[in-house]
Each structure stands twice: as structure tokens, then as C-alpha cells.
Amino acid sequence: MRRLRRLAAAAWLAASAMAAAAAESDPERAPPTHLPAGGSVALAFSPWQDPEALLLQAIADARELILVQAYLFTSKPLARGLIAAHQRGVRVEVLLDAEMNRPASPSVLPQLLAAGIPVAVETRFNIAHNKLMIFDPASRTRGAVATGSYNFTRSARTINAENLLLLRGNPALVAAYADNWKRHRADALVLRSLDDLPGRKGKMDGRESDRGTPD
């Protein structure tokens, strides 16, 4: 077993070295990240199951840090869960798509800001389409990532066909997601108030539908 683990570790190191070399030769398009599988997986499919309950439990279990990245965030229960975590001393930081989380929308952005949770909006990309939460990334035992198609909305919970994965016990995977979150955060616009939101972006400015276009 130890020999197999050493071989797996050596293979992972070799793959990482090859990926780094490839990234240097083509910095615009780095190759996929390959990580060893491991840990546990919990999954929920809506509308038959309850992904929101899975997220709320993970939020309640967090002890140090929760990093959120959302395309559309309208779920009041999830907002309340994050605010409660913030109030009990967990550091919570949120990244949102700038176009989908406006004061005129049902977005929970105003509630998060009012609670003192740091929020930044992504403006660099056509659509900031990530939907994920990262829990306690510095902890090898509690670190977890929740990701999937599931938007943080009531519709995603009750009437949409969605999926959510909660991945635990894989520190390398959690670290990769946390590093990517930080990369996005470095490009995002920090909001001190709703007045800091940038102007809307239309198709003339490069904003396209998330339905995509034919190849």
C-alpha cells in the first residue's frame, strides 16, 4: 500500500512538473490540473433532493473560512447561514457576477454587505459562471469544496434540474479551488456599498447570453 501511494505521489509530481512546463510554453492556455482522487463525495440532485440543505450543513460545520463564488445568489436561507457564520467568527468572503446581482434583482448582495461580509464583483469575464463554496481550505481534515451546476437560488432548489457535489478529504483539490478563487478575487471589484457597482454591460460592450453561440 505504501509503495502504491509513493508511486501515485511520484506520478502526481511528474504530472505537475509537465503541466508547469506546458503552462510556461503557452501561458494563455494552461493544461488541465490533474490531482489524485480521494476523500468522500456527497451529492444532491434537485428537485428530488435538497442541495441547499447540504450547503447549509457545510456552512454550519465551517470553523475558519468560507469562500463563495456565485453567478446568481438569491437564496435567503443560504445568505442567513453565511451571515450567522460570519457572526460566530468564521471569515466569509463572497465573489459575485456583477451583472446578475443588482439592487433591482432579488440578489442577497445588499444583505451580505449590510452584515459586514466582504463582497466583490467580477467584471473581467463575459459571465462569472462559477457556483461554488470552499470551506476551511487550510484544514486538512475539515477542508471541503461544494460545486456543480447548482445556483444559489430558490428556483435551483425547487423547480430546476441541478446537481451539487460536496467533496471532502482531498486537501490538494481544496487548495486548487482556493487558489483559483484568489485568482478571481485579485481581478474583482471590491464593494464598499451598492453605489460601487459598475454600470451595466450590454452586448455592445461584450456581454453575451450564457446560452452560448454555435461553433
Side-chain angles (χ1 to χ4, degrees):
M1 182 61 71
R2 287 183 180 177
R3 185 170 181 273
L4 288 174
R5 288 176 180 170
R6 288 173 184 165
L7 288 172
W12 178 71
L13 288 172
S16 298
M18 291 175 62
E24 288 180 2
S25 63
D26 184 7
E28 296 301 317
R29 292 288 179 182
T33 300
H34 294 272
L35 299 171
S40 66
V41 178
L43 72 157
F45 299 106
S46 66
W48 301 283
Q49 296 173 307
D50 193 349
E52 186 170 85
L54 195 59
L55 287 172
L56 287 171
Q57 186 59 58
I59 291 170
D61 291 340
R63 294 293 175 265
E64 299 165 359
L65 175 63
I66 302 173
L67 303 175
V68 180
Q69 204 167 358
Y71 174 59
L72 176 60
F73 195 161
T74 64
S75 168
K76 292 180 180 178
L78 288 177
R80 288 194 294 266
L82 291 174
I83 291 169
H86 169 71
Q87 291 173 341
R88 71 171 186 267
V90 176
R91 182 178 153 208
V92 179
E93 294 195 37
V94 177
L95 284 175
L96 298 174
D97 181 273
E99 298 297 312
M100 295 300 294
N101 296 273
R102 297 278 170 173
S105 76
S107 172
V108 298
L109 170 58
Q111 293 95 308
L112 297 176
L113 284 176
I117 291 176
V119 179
V121 292
E122 297 203 60
T123 61
R124 172 182 174 183
F125 304 96
N126 177 47
I127 292 176
H129 215 235
N130 286 294
K131 305 116 181 183
L132 59 93
M133 293 189 188
I134 306 164
F135 305 96
D136 293 339
S139 172
R140 294 188 64 82
T141 56
R142 294 190 311 276
V145 172
T147 188
S149 72
Y150 189 79
N151 280 306
F152 305 144
T153 66
R154 184 177 184 276
S155 294
R157 178 176 181 261
T158 59
I159 60 176
N160 290 359
E162 307 281 0
N163 72 87
L164 180 79
L165 293 172
L166 180 63
L167 308 164
R168 296 186 181 277
N170 192 329
L173 178 69
V174 177
Y177 270 93
D179 287 344
N180 188 62
W181 187 96
K182 293 173 186 175
R183 183 179 187 177
H184 280 264
R185 174 62 177 74
D187 283 334
L189 173 66
V190 178
L191 301 182
R192 294 162 298 179
S193 73
L194 295 176
D195 293 336
D196 292 332
L197 277 168
R200 280 194 174 278
K201 185 187 293 184
K203 284 191 175 182
M204 296 298 293
D205 302 312
R207 179 79 172 187
E208 297 291 342
S209 166
D210 68 342
R211 294 181 181 273
T213 55
D215 290 334

